[in-house]
Amino acid sequence: MAKYVIGIDFGTLSARALLVHAKTGEEIASCEYKYPHGVMDEKLPNGKKLDIDWALQHPQDYLDALARVVPRVLKIGEVSKDDVIGIGIDFTACTILPVFKDGTPLCFLAEFMSNEHSYVKLWKHHAAQDKANRINDLANERDENWLIRYGGKISSEWALPKLMEVMDEAPEIFEKMDYFIEAGDWLTWLMCEDAKVNACCAGYKGLWNKREGYPSKEFLKQLDPRLENIYETKLGLPVYPSYTRAGTLTERGAKLTTLNVGTPVSMANIDGHACLPAARITGPGKMLLILGTSYVHKVLHSDEMPIPGICGVVEDGILPGFYGYEAGQCGGGDHFAWFIENNVPYKYYEEAKNHGMDIYAYMRQKASLLKAGESGLVALDWWNGNRSVLVDADLSGLVVGMTLRTKPEEVYRALIEATAFGTKTIIDNFKISGIPITEIVAAGGIAKKDPLIMQILSDVTNMPISVVHTSYASALGSAIYASVAAGSKLGGYDDVYEAIGNMGKVDDFVYKPNPENAKTYTKLYEEYKLLHDYFGRGGNDVMKRLKNIAKEIN
Amino acid sequence: MAKYVIGIDFGTLSARALLVHAKTGEEIASCEYKYPHGVMDEKLPNGKKLDIDWALQHPQDYLDALARVVPRVLKIGEVSKDDVIGIGIDFTACTILPVFKDGTPLCFLAEFMSNEHSYVKLWKHHAAQDKANRINDLANERDENWLIRYGGKISSEWALPKLMEVMDEAPEIFEKMDYFIEAGDWLTWLMCEDAKVNACCAGYKGLWNKREGYPSKEFLKQLDPRLENIYETKLGLPVYPSYTRAGTLTERGAKLTTLNVGTPVSMANIDGHACLPAARITGPGKMLLILGTSYVHKVLHSDEMPIPGICGVVEDGILPGFYGYEAGQCGGGDHFAWFIENNVPYKYYEEAKNHGMDIYAYMRQKASLLKAGESGLVALDWWNGNRSVLVDADLSGLVVGMTLRTKPEEVYRALIEATAFGTKTIIDNFKISGIPITEIVAAGGIAKKDPLIMQILSDVTNMPISVVHTSYASALGSAIYASVAAGSKLGGYDDVYEAIGNMGKVDDFVYKPNPENAKTYTKLYEEYKLLHDYFGRGGNDVMKRLKNIAKEIN
């Protein structure tokens, strides 16, 4: 009798569930549930206005999603819940909320409903930048050794700045909450018995380290006396790796999921990290590249090394026995969307219409006909700032080389090339820090849909690039972890690497570098690097000064 | 009885004639004649194909223009030829042709008709770059002191490179021609008795200097033995200032113009320089700024000073007693045309249509609503290279500061600002070389039609800018010189400055700097200068390398 596992990927706007065969990873059914409240970035449910930079969610949406997608995939897949041997979830992070010790979110209470700090602060809630700055300044001042694990700077998106924001701006909520917990951990807790937190979130977003634990009480006290014991109290839940079992469904958990009591549940995971098992990456040398509006890069390595400009390195954060390194480009696909929306002339729309093509396809076709280097353009892909390797949100975009003969498709292609040069910069940064990369596996919308971007990435990095087979990479990764949580006795796996080897899958087609283009891109990359270092490492801080001038004016 | 003068401006595509009152400069009538052959840049009249970079004209077009526009303006203005006391012309330059000693162009003979070197080489004929390079190299090597008068580099557009092209590629024409003469000088010669050349063309395009004459025979011989005596032979006609009388109409001249025998004719002039009297500029301190597809700058000063990066300085080249300095920006209005054609999105066209506006007016309106500095953008206006002050055709465009919120009108405005920063760079270059400028008078299409560009120029330069009143500035300037050629006895002027004071005119409305914007632009100009020097003076030759890569690919 075939057994099945369910993986659910809780994204920014919806939850997507995947029902897969627990041994082969074969996809049986999938479905999506859009959160009714979506992203609350303008007002609370009661109409109360939110400041700019805010981004909240409603935890009820996650519960509703869970209750709907599980029976739905089972129905579509014609699978009985009796044959489901495990469930796993992944979540955006740091997406975090204040709860009582029975698991009730504070925003469920009438008392706190109209206080914006009682809701889930979504990963892209950016209102705690001043707290992040304070943490970074003090950590730098005290020369805290954990800072280098995060490339030298922590983000305003993470748990501690978000908690400090509550502490400073809604002290009553700070007082009343028992835990400030990642939404993914909150969900697995409600499904199982005990409250625990996953090592992936704790490590990448919560300043936790397997060997050294959290930042010292001394540091915390100096940051704010109210924080001295915070990692023993509100942030003090026990940490378990994502590839381990969180528990089994309780009565409450069975009701929430419509599955049987006793069904194994894996620890939650960060959505991007859940792609790694789906991409069949089981060790060093291969980089997972997630190509969305922004780009994310993940690499495994057996040692911990200080690498400048990464987003984080966490021991056992992704897979057992490895340090998981994460890097990122703040801008990826959003450059192309910006270009298409703001820079494509009227006549191209007309021509696209005449060819019966959408404008993306038309621009892709025009840009595909260009040879590498023929436009004479180079760009810096910093429209949304730079995460790795410069860690500087105040950088901005640049294009050089325009003439009166420059065509829109040339600028479009220059932007694609620039994002690829950004990826190569990250690869080189790993390489010179002692982590060689020889191959890329790509996931995300662009990987499946845009052969031009993929080929340019291959040409620029001069590496083969495979593409994750499924369009539900994160959900498949969660399903793989669910299979491991179930174990071999139930029909799953005892060993996570065995599970990955059998359930993860990449497409047969592999992008391979075109040697001619790769040669030209080697030259263009030299130009990119020169500009990168000049504008990004203090040679000319014009980008920052321009932003400051703009701020003064507005 | 009122007396009149006629000024004719021979442009690139047409001749435009202006009939004005000889005392007041009041415009009585104007008309235009388009050259039937236009610019021959693809083939000769007989169908013979031309190489890229070629640009020829047919001298018969000029004769036809003369014969048509003179009677036409008289008819429109209801003025008798008996009341016309002078005629003057200005011409594009260096626009030059080989002729026999009776004035017949070689291309009029069946023998030479199918040889492209027998025609007029238009100013923008660019096929003699290798000759210009040879001249520049040798002049540099020999440390020729005349080179600095041209900012350190002469252009392929000028007389000597164009003549060398004939010599090398059509030696039979080089041998047969008696003179290689500017088209403007050729026309005044045909109108009057003797062949002469005007000091403006000779100085700015012919390497002539009032005190030192032409380059030495030694230099010329080393350049090519066949050139040793060239300035005593084919380029050896006597030089007279443009504001002097060339002669009076002969029988032949009367027939060509349909005017009376004996009517005074002024020396020809370069079209841009003819704007100066129309702009009522009579001395140092004011800069004439001609705003077309490219920008041209003209300043008078009492001394000759070595100024890097100018196009030329000529004693008595514009007005008596002054050195006339010329500088230039290779790109001006053509940046904006490029932007409108290639970068304005579909939705803006739709919105413009809904507002009943053309796309230029709509973009102008949107860009006008922005405050200086609010976009966070700065550009380098080198889409067509840089003439002053870097003299480098291989530079290219740059925009820095883009974010995902950058709007098309912001980039558009950044381009306008960049061209204004380019103008300010030229003004500063004059200033630090000892030629202060405190005021601008603008001419050209943009000056009349685009208040946004004008205001930004005023804000960036922090100077008041007046606008030449007439839309026929060059033709009015030629008419003013015609009035001086006539002299006071006939009803004109004996003194050119008196003529300018009474006949030149600027609009009452003056653009004045907005202090707030001027302050912001001072900051942005600092950024422009940093980028200008970094990319323009060898800090990073990426623009040249990108052009080389593109050349290798194509």
Coordinates of all heavy atoms in Angstrom, one line a residue, chain A residues 334 338 341-347 349 372-373 376 378 383 396-404 406 408 523-524 527 530 534 542 545-546 550 552-553, chain B residues 334 338 341-347 349 372-373 376 378 383 396-404 406 408 523-524 527 530 534 542 545-546 550 552-553:
Chain A
D334 N 12.9 41.6 -9.9 CA 12.2 42.9 -9.8 C 12.9 44.0 -10.7 O 12.2 44.9 -11.2 CB 12.1 43.4 -8.4 CG 13.4 43.4 -7.7 OD1 14.4 43.1 -8.3 OD2 13.4 43.6 -6.4
W338 N 10.6 46.1 -13.3 CA 10.8 47.6 -13.3 C 11.0 48.0 -14.8 O 10.4 49.0 -15.2 CB 11.9 48.0 -12.4 CG 12.2 49.5 -12.5 CD1 11.7 50.5 -11.9 CD2 13.2 50.1 -13.4 NE1 12.2 51.7 -12.3 CE2 13.2 51.4 -13.2 CE3 14.2 49.5 -14.3 CZ2 14.0 52.3 -13.9 CZ3 15.0 50.4 -15.0 CH2 14.9 51.8 -14.8
E341 N 7.9 47.6 -17.0 CA 6.9 48.6 -16.7 C 7.2 50.0 -17.1 O 6.4 50.8 -17.5 CB 6.6 48.5 -15.2 CG 5.5 49.5 -14.8 CD 4.8 49.1 -13.5 OE1 5.0 47.9 -13.1 OE2 4.0 49.9 -13.0
N342 N 8.5 50.4 -17.0 CA 8.9 51.8 -17.1 C 9.7 52.2 -18.3 O 9.9 53.4 -18.5 CB 9.7 52.2 -15.8 CG 8.8 52.2 -14.6 OD1 8.0 53.1 -14.4 ND2 9.0 51.3 -13.7
N343 N 10.1 51.2 -19.1 CA 11.1 51.5 -20.1 C 10.9 51.0 -21.5 O 11.7 51.1 -22.4 CB 12.5 51.1 -19.6 CG 13.0 51.7 -18.4 OD1 13.6 52.8 -18.4 ND2 12.6 51.2 -17.2
V344 N 9.8 50.3 -21.7 CA 9.6 49.7 -23.0 C 8.7 50.6 -23.8 O 7.6 51.0 -23.4 CB 8.9 48.3 -22.9 CG1 8.6 47.7 -24.2 CG2 9.8 47.4 -22.1
P345 N 9.2 51.0 -25.0 CA 8.4 52.0 -25.7 C 7.2 51.5 -26.4 O 7.0 50.3 -26.6 CB 9.5 52.5 -26.8 CG 10.4 51.4 -27.0 CD 10.4 50.6 -25.6
Y346 N 6.3 52.4 -26.7 CA 5.1 52.2 -27.3 C 5.2 51.2 -28.5 O 4.4 50.3 -28.6 CB 4.5 53.6 -27.8 CG 3.1 53.6 -28.3 CD1 2.1 53.7 -27.3 CD2 2.8 53.5 -29.6 CE1 0.7 53.7 -27.7 CE2 1.4 53.5 -30.0 CZ 0.4 53.6 -29.1 OH -0.9 53.6 -29.5
K347 N 6.1 51.5 -29.4 CA 6.2 50.8 -30.6 C 6.5 49.3 -30.4 O 6.0 48.4 -31.1 CB 7.2 51.3 -31.6 CG 8.7 51.4 -31.0 CD 9.6 52.1 -32.0 CE 11.0 52.2 -31.3 NZ 11.9 53.1 -31.9
Y349 N 5.3 47.6 -27.8 CA 4.0 47.0 -27.4 C 3.2 46.7 -28.7 O 2.6 45.6 -28.8 CB 3.3 47.9 -26.5 CG 3.6 47.8 -25.0 CD1 4.7 48.5 -24.5 CD2 2.9 46.9 -24.2 CE1 5.0 48.3 -23.1 CE2 3.2 46.7 -22.9 CZ 4.3 47.4 -22.4 OH 4.6 47.2 -21.1
A372 N 26.5 38.6 -26.7 CA 27.2 39.1 -25.5 C 28.1 40.2 -25.9 O 29.0 40.0 -26.8 CB 27.9 38.0 -24.8
G373 N 28.0 41.3 -25.2 CA 29.0 42.4 -25.4 C 28.7 43.4 -26.5 O 29.3 44.4 -26.6
G376 N 27.7 47.2 -25.7 CA 28.6 48.1 -25.1 C 28.1 48.7 -23.8 O 28.6 49.7 -23.3
V378 N 27.2 48.1 -19.5 CA 27.4 47.3 -18.3 C 26.5 48.0 -17.2 O 26.5 49.3 -17.2 CB 28.8 47.2 -17.8 CG1 28.9 46.8 -16.4 CG2 29.6 46.2 -18.7
W383 N 19.3 48.2 -7.9 CA 18.1 49.0 -7.9 C 17.5 48.9 -6.5 O 16.8 49.8 -6.0 CB 17.1 48.5 -8.9 CG 17.1 49.2 -10.2 CD1 16.1 50.0 -10.7 CD2 18.2 49.3 -11.2 NE1 16.5 50.5 -12.0 CE2 17.7 50.1 -12.3 CE3 19.4 48.7 -11.3 CZ2 18.5 50.4 -13.4 CZ3 20.2 49.0 -12.4 CH2 19.7 49.8 -13.5
S396 N 22.5 52.0 -5.2 CA 21.5 52.1 -6.2 C 22.0 51.7 -7.5 O 23.2 51.3 -7.7 CB 20.9 53.5 -6.2 OG 22.0 54.5 -6.4
G397 N 21.1 51.8 -8.5 CA 21.5 51.2 -9.8 C 22.3 52.1 -10.7 O 22.4 53.3 -10.5
L398 N 23.0 51.5 -11.7 CA 23.9 52.3 -12.6 C 23.9 51.5 -13.9 O 23.9 50.3 -14.0 CB 25.3 52.3 -12.0 CG 26.3 53.0 -12.9 CD1 27.3 53.8 -12.0 CD2 27.2 52.0 -13.7
V399 N 23.8 52.3 -15.0 CA 24.1 51.8 -16.4 C 25.1 52.7 -17.0 O 25.0 53.9 -17.0 CB 22.8 51.8 -17.2 CG1 23.0 51.0 -18.5 CG2 21.6 51.1 -16.5
V400 N 26.0 52.1 -17.7 CA 27.1 52.9 -18.4 C 27.2 52.3 -19.8 O 27.1 51.1 -20.0 CB 28.4 52.8 -17.6 CG1 29.0 51.4 -17.5 CG2 29.5 53.7 -18.3
G401 N 27.5 53.2 -20.7 CA 27.8 52.8 -22.1 C 26.8 53.2 -23.1 O 26.9 52.9 -24.3
M402 N 25.7 54.0 -22.7 CA 24.7 54.3 -23.7 C 25.2 55.3 -24.8 O 26.0 56.2 -24.6 CB 23.5 55.1 -23.0 CG 22.6 54.2 -22.3 SD 23.3 53.7 -20.7 CE 23.1 55.2 -19.8
T403 N 24.7 55.0 -26.0 CA 24.9 55.9 -27.1 C 23.6 56.3 -27.7 O 22.6 55.7 -27.3 CB 25.8 55.3 -28.2 OG1 25.0 54.3 -28.9 CG2 27.0 54.6 -27.7
L404 N 23.6 57.1 -28.8 CA 22.3 57.4 -29.4 C 21.7 56.2 -30.2 O 20.6 56.3 -30.6 CB 22.5 58.6 -30.4 CG 22.9 59.9 -29.6 CD1 23.2 61.0 -30.7 CD2 21.7 60.4 -28.7
T406 N 21.7 53.1 -28.7 CA 21.3 52.1 -27.8 C 19.8 51.8 -27.8 O 19.0 52.7 -27.8 CB 21.7 52.6 -26.3 OG1 23.1 52.8 -26.3 CG2 21.2 51.6 -25.3
P408 N 16.3 49.6 -26.4 CA 15.7 49.1 -25.2 C 16.1 47.7 -24.8 O 16.4 47.4 -23.7 CB 14.2 49.2 -25.4 CG 14.0 50.3 -26.4 CD 15.2 50.2 -27.3
K523 N 35.4 39.3 -19.7 CA 35.9 40.7 -19.9 C 34.9 41.7 -19.2 O 35.3 42.6 -18.5 CB 36.0 41.1 -21.4 CG 37.1 40.4 -22.1 CD 37.2 40.9 -23.5 CE 37.9 39.9 -24.4 NZ 37.7 40.2 -25.8
L524 N 33.6 41.5 -19.5 CA 32.6 42.4 -19.0 C 32.5 42.3 -17.5 O 32.3 43.3 -16.8 CB 31.2 42.1 -19.6 CG 31.1 42.4 -21.1 CD1 29.7 42.0 -21.6 CD2 31.3 43.9 -21.4
E527 N 34.9 44.6 -15.9 CA 34.3 46.0 -15.8 C 33.3 46.1 -14.7 O 33.3 47.1 -13.9 CB 33.7 46.3 -17.1 CG 34.6 46.2 -18.4 CD 35.8 47.1 -18.2 OE1 35.8 48.1 -17.5 OE2 36.8 46.8 -18.9
L530 N 35.2 46.3 -11.3 CA 35.8 47.6 -11.1 C 34.7 48.6 -10.6 O 34.9 49.4 -9.7 CB 36.3 48.2 -12.5 CG 37.8 48.1 -12.7 CD1 38.1 48.7 -14.1 CD2 38.6 48.9 -11.7
Y534 N 34.4 50.3 -6.9 CA 34.5 51.8 -6.9 C 33.2 52.4 -6.2 O 33.3 53.2 -5.3 CB 34.6 52.3 -8.3 CG 34.7 53.9 -8.4 CD1 35.8 54.5 -7.8 CD2 33.7 54.6 -9.0 CE1 35.8 55.9 -7.9 CE2 33.7 56.0 -9.1 CZ 34.8 56.6 -8.5 OH 34.9 58.0 -8.6
V542 N 28.7 58.3 -4.2 CA 27.7 59.1 -4.8 C 26.3 58.6 -4.6 O 25.3 59.3 -4.4 CB 28.0 59.3 -6.3 CG1 28.2 58.0 -7.0 CG2 26.9 60.1 -7.0
R545 N 25.0 59.7 -1.3 CA 24.8 61.1 -1.2 C 23.6 61.5 -2.0 O 22.8 62.3 -1.6 CB 26.1 61.8 -1.7 CG 27.3 61.8 -0.8 CD 28.4 62.7 -1.2 NE 28.9 62.4 -2.5 CZ 29.9 61.6 -2.8 NH1 30.6 61.0 -1.8 NH2 30.3 61.4 -4.0
L546 N 23.4 60.8 -3.2 CA 22.2 61.1 -3.9 C 20.9 60.8 -3.2 O 19.9 61.5 -3.2 CB 22.2 60.4 -5.3 CG 23.2 60.9 -6.3 CD1 23.2 60.0 -7.5 CD2 22.9 62.3 -6.7
A550 N 18.0 63.4 -2.0 CA 16.6 63.1 -2.3 C 15.8 63.1 -1.0 O 14.6 63.6 -1.0 CB 16.5 61.7 -3.0
E552 N 16.4 64.8 1.8 CA 16.2 66.2 2.2 C 15.2 66.9 1.4 O 14.4 67.7 2.0 CB 17.6 67.0 2.0 CG 18.6 66.6 3.1 CD 20.0 67.1 2.6 OE1 20.1 68.1 1.8 OE2 21.0 66.5 3.0
I553 N 15.1 66.6 0.1 CA 14.1 67.3 -0.8 C 12.7 66.9 -0.5 O 11.8 67.7 -0.4 CB 14.4 67.0 -2.2 CG1 15.9 67.5 -2.6 CG2 13.4 67.6 -3.2 CD1 16.1 68.9 -2.5
Chain B
D334 N 19.6 65.8 -28.8 CA 19.5 64.4 -29.3 C 19.3 63.4 -28.2 O 18.8 62.3 -28.4 CB 20.6 64.1 -30.3 CG 22.0 64.4 -29.7 OD1 22.0 64.7 -28.5 OD2 23.0 64.2 -30.4
W338 N 16.4 60.7 -28.2 CA 16.7 59.3 -27.9 C 15.8 58.8 -26.8 O 15.2 57.7 -26.9 CB 18.1 59.1 -27.6 CG 18.5 57.7 -27.1 CD1 18.8 56.7 -27.9 CD2 18.5 57.2 -25.8 NE1 19.1 55.6 -27.1 CE2 18.9 55.9 -25.8 CE3 18.3 57.8 -24.5 CZ2 19.0 55.1 -24.7 CZ3 18.4 57.0 -23.4 CH2 18.8 55.7 -23.5
E341 N 12.1 58.4 -27.9 CA 11.9 57.4 -28.8 C 12.0 56.0 -28.2 O 11.3 55.0 -28.6 CB 12.9 57.5 -30.0 CG 12.8 56.3 -31.0 CD 13.2 56.8 -32.4 OE1 13.5 58.0 -32.6 OE2 13.2 55.9 -33.3
N342 N 13.0 55.8 -27.3 CA 13.3 54.5 -26.8 C 12.9 54.1 -25.4 O 13.0 53.0 -24.9 CB 14.8 54.3 -26.9 CG 15.3 54.2 -28.3 OD1 15.0 53.3 -29.0 ND2 16.0 55.3 -28.8
N343 N 12.4 55.1 -24.6 CA 12.3 54.9 -23.2 C 10.9 55.3 -22.5 O 10.8 55.2 -21.3 CB 13.4 55.6 -22.4 CG 14.8 55.1 -22.8 OD1 15.3 54.3 -22.1 ND2 15.3 55.7 -23.8
V344 N 10.0 55.7 -23.3 CA 8.8 56.2 -22.8 C 7.8 55.0 -22.8 O 7.5 54.5 -23.9 CB 8.2 57.4 -23.5 CG1 6.9 57.8 -22.9 CG2 9.2 58.6 -23.3
P345 N 7.2 54.6 -21.7 CA 6.3 53.4 -21.7 C 5.0 53.7 -22.4 O 4.5 54.8 -22.5 CB 6.2 53.1 -20.3 CG 6.4 54.3 -19.5 CD 7.4 55.2 -20.3
Y346 N 4.4 52.6 -22.8 CA 3.1 52.6 -23.4 C 2.1 53.4 -22.7 O 1.4 54.3 -23.2 CB 2.6 51.1 -23.4 CG 1.4 50.8 -24.2 CD1 1.5 50.7 -25.6 CD2 0.1 50.8 -23.6 CE1 0.4 50.4 -26.4 CE2 -1.0 50.5 -24.4 CZ -0.8 50.3 -25.8 OH -1.9 50.0 -26.5
K347 N 2.0 53.2 -21.3 CA 0.9 53.9 -20.6 C 1.1 55.4 -20.6 O 0.1 56.1 -20.6 CB 0.9 53.4 -19.1 CG 2.2 53.7 -18.4 CD 2.2 53.1 -16.9 CE 3.6 53.3 -16.3 NZ 3.8 52.5 -15.1
Y349 N 2.1 57.1 -23.3 CA 1.5 57.5 -24.5 C 0.0 57.6 -24.5 O -0.6 58.5 -25.0 CB 1.9 56.6 -25.7 CG 3.3 56.9 -26.3 CD1 4.5 56.4 -25.8 CD2 3.3 57.8 -27.4 CE1 5.7 56.8 -26.3 CE2 4.5 58.1 -28.0 CZ 5.7 57.6 -27.4 OH 6.9 58.0 -28.0
A372 N 14.2 69.6 -8.0 CA 15.6 69.3 -8.3 C 16.1 68.3 -7.2 O 15.8 68.6 -6.0 CB 16.4 70.6 -8.2
G373 N 16.7 67.3 -7.6 CA 17.3 66.4 -6.6 C 16.4 65.3 -6.0 O 16.9 64.3 -5.4
G376 N 17.1 61.4 -7.0 CA 18.3 60.7 -6.6 C 19.1 60.2 -7.8 O 19.9 59.3 -7.7
V378 N 21.8 61.0 -11.2 CA 22.7 61.9 -11.9 C 23.2 61.1 -13.2 O 23.4 59.9 -13.1 CB 23.9 62.2 -11.0 CG1 25.1 62.8 -11.9 CG2 23.6 63.3 -10.0
W383 N 26.2 60.6 -24.5 CA 25.6 59.6 -25.5 C 26.3 59.7 -26.8 O 26.4 58.7 -27.5 CB 24.1 59.8 -25.6 CG 23.2 59.0 -24.8 CD1 22.3 58.1 -25.2 CD2 23.1 59.0 -23.3 NE1 21.6 57.5 -24.1 CE2 22.1 58.1 -23.0 CE3 23.7 59.8 -22.3 CZ2 21.7 57.8 -21.7 CZ3 23.3 59.5 -21.0 CH2 22.3 58.6 -20.7
S396 N 30.9 57.6 -23.4 CA 29.5 57.2 -23.7 C 28.6 57.6 -22.4 O 29.2 58.2 -21.5 CB 29.4 55.7 -24.0 OG 30.0 55.0 -22.9
G397 N 27.4 57.3 -22.5 CA 26.4 57.8 -21.4 C 26.5 57.0 -20.2 O 26.9 55.8 -20.2
L398 N 26.0 57.6 -19.1 CA 25.9 56.9 -17.8 C 24.7 57.5 -17.0 O 24.5 58.7 -17.1 CB 27.2 57.2 -17.0 CG 27.3 56.6 -15.6 CD1 28.7 56.0 -15.3 CD2 27.0 57.6 -14.6
V399 N 24.0 56.6 -16.3 CA 23.0 57.1 -15.4 C 23.2 56.3 -14.1 O 23.5 55.1 -14.1 CB 21.6 56.8 -15.8 CG1 20.6 57.5 -14.9 CG2 21.3 57.3 -17.2
V400 N 23.2 57.0 -12.9 CA 23.4 56.4 -11.6 C 22.3 56.8 -10.7 O 21.8 57.9 -10.8 CB 24.8 56.7 -11.1 CG1 25.0 58.2 -10.9 CG2 25.1 56.0 -9.8
G401 N 21.9 55.9 -9.8 CA 20.9 56.2 -8.8 C 19.6 55.6 -8.9 O 18.7 55.9 -8.1
M402 N 19.4 54.7 -9.9 CA 18.1 54.1 -10.1 C 17.7 53.2 -8.9 O 18.5 52.5 -8.4 CB 18.0 53.3 -11.4 CG 17.9 54.0 -12.6 SD 19.5 54.8 -13.1 CE 20.4 53.3 -13.7
T403 N 16.4 53.3 -8.6 CA 15.8 52.3 -7.7 C 14.6 51.7 -8.3 O 14.2 52.1 -9.4 CB 15.4 53.0 -6.4 OG1 14.2 53.8 -6.6 CG2 16.4 53.9 -5.8
L404 N 13.9 50.8 -7.6 CA 12.7 50.2 -8.2 C 11.5 51.2 -8.3 O 10.5 51.0 -8.9 CB 12.2 49.0 -7.3 CG 13.3 47.9 -7.4 CD1 12.9 46.8 -6.4 CD2 13.4 47.3 -8.8
T406 N 12.1 54.4 -9.5 CA 12.5 55.4 -10.4 C 11.5 55.4 -11.6 O 11.1 54.4 -12.2 CB 13.9 55.1 -11.0 OG1 14.8 55.2 -9.9 CG2 14.3 56.1 -12.0
P408 N 10.1 57.1 -15.4 CA 10.7 57.6 -16.7 C 10.9 59.1 -16.7 O 12.0 59.5 -17.2 CB 9.6 57.2 -17.7 CG 8.8 56.1 -17.1 CD 8.9 56.3 -15.6
K523 N 25.1 70.9 -5.3 CA 25.5 69.6 -4.8 C 25.5 68.6 -5.9 O 26.5 67.8 -5.9 CB 24.5 69.2 -3.7 CG 24.5 70.0 -2.4 CD 23.5 69.4 -1.4 CE 23.0 70.4 -0.5 NZ 21.8 69.9 0.3
L524 N 24.5 68.5 -6.7 CA 24.5 67.5 -7.8 C 25.6 67.7 -8.8 O 26.2 66.7 -9.3 CB 23.1 67.5 -8.5 CG 21.9 67.1 -7.6 CD1 20.6 67.2 -8.4 CD2 22.1 65.6 -7.2
E527 N 28.7 66.0 -7.8 CA 28.6 64.6 -8.1 C 28.9 64.4 -9.6 O 29.7 63.5 -10.0 CB 27.3 64.0 -7.8 CG 26.8 64.1 -6.3 CD 27.8 63.5 -5.3 OE1 28.6 62.7 -5.7 OE2 27.8 63.9 -4.1
L530 N 32.7 64.8 -10.2 CA 33.4 63.6 -9.7 C 33.3 62.5 -10.8 O 34.4 61.9 -11.2 CB 32.8 63.0 -8.5 CG 33.5 63.3 -7.1 CD1 32.7 62.7 -6.0 CD2 34.9 62.8 -7.1
Y534 N 36.3 61.1 -13.2 CA 36.6 59.7 -13.1 C 36.5 58.9 -14.4 O 37.5 58.2 -14.8 CB 35.7 59.0 -12.0 CG 36.0 57.5 -11.8 CD1 37.1 57.1 -11.2 CD2 35.0 56.6 -12.2 CE1 37.4 55.7 -11.0 CE2 35.2 55.2 -11.9 CZ 36.4 54.8 -11.4 OH 36.6 53.5 -11.2
V542 N 36.4 52.5 -18.7 CA 35.4 51.4 -19.0 C 34.7 51.8 -20.3 O 34.4 50.9 -21.1 CB 34.5 51.2 -17.8 CG1 33.8 52.5 -17.4 CG2 33.4 50.2 -18.2
R545 N 36.7 50.8 -23.2 CA 36.9 49.3 -23.3 C 35.6 48.7 -23.8 O 35.6 47.7 -24.6 CB 37.3 48.8 -22.0 CG 38.8 49.1 -21.7 CD 39.3 48.4 -20.4 NE 38.5 48.6 -19.3 CZ 38.8 49.6 -18.4 NH1 39.8 50.4 -18.5 NH2 38.0 49.7 -17.3
L546 N 34.4 49.2 -23.3 CA 33.1 48.6 -23.7 C 32.9 48.8 -25.2 O 32.4 47.9 -25.9 CB 32.0 49.3 -22.9 CG 31.9 48.8 -21.5 CD1 30.8 49.7 -20.8 CD2 31.6 47.3 -21.3
A550 N 32.5 45.9 -28.0 CA 31.4 45.9 -28.9 C 31.9 45.8 -30.4 O 31.3 45.1 -31.2 CB 30.5 47.1 -28.7
E552 N 34.7 44.5 -31.4 CA 35.2 43.1 -31.7 C 34.1 42.2 -32.0 O 34.2 41.3 -32.8 CB 36.0 42.6 -30.5 CG 37.4 43.2 -30.3 CD 37.9 42.9 -28.9 OE1 37.5 41.9 -28.3 OE2 38.8 43.7 -28.5
I553 N 33.0 42.4 -31.3 CA 31.8 41.4 -31.4 C 31.1 41.7 -32.8 O 30.7 40.7 -33.5 CB 30.8 41.7 -30.3 CG1 31.4 41.4 -28.9 CG2 29.6 40.8 -30.5 CD1 31.9 40.1 -28.7

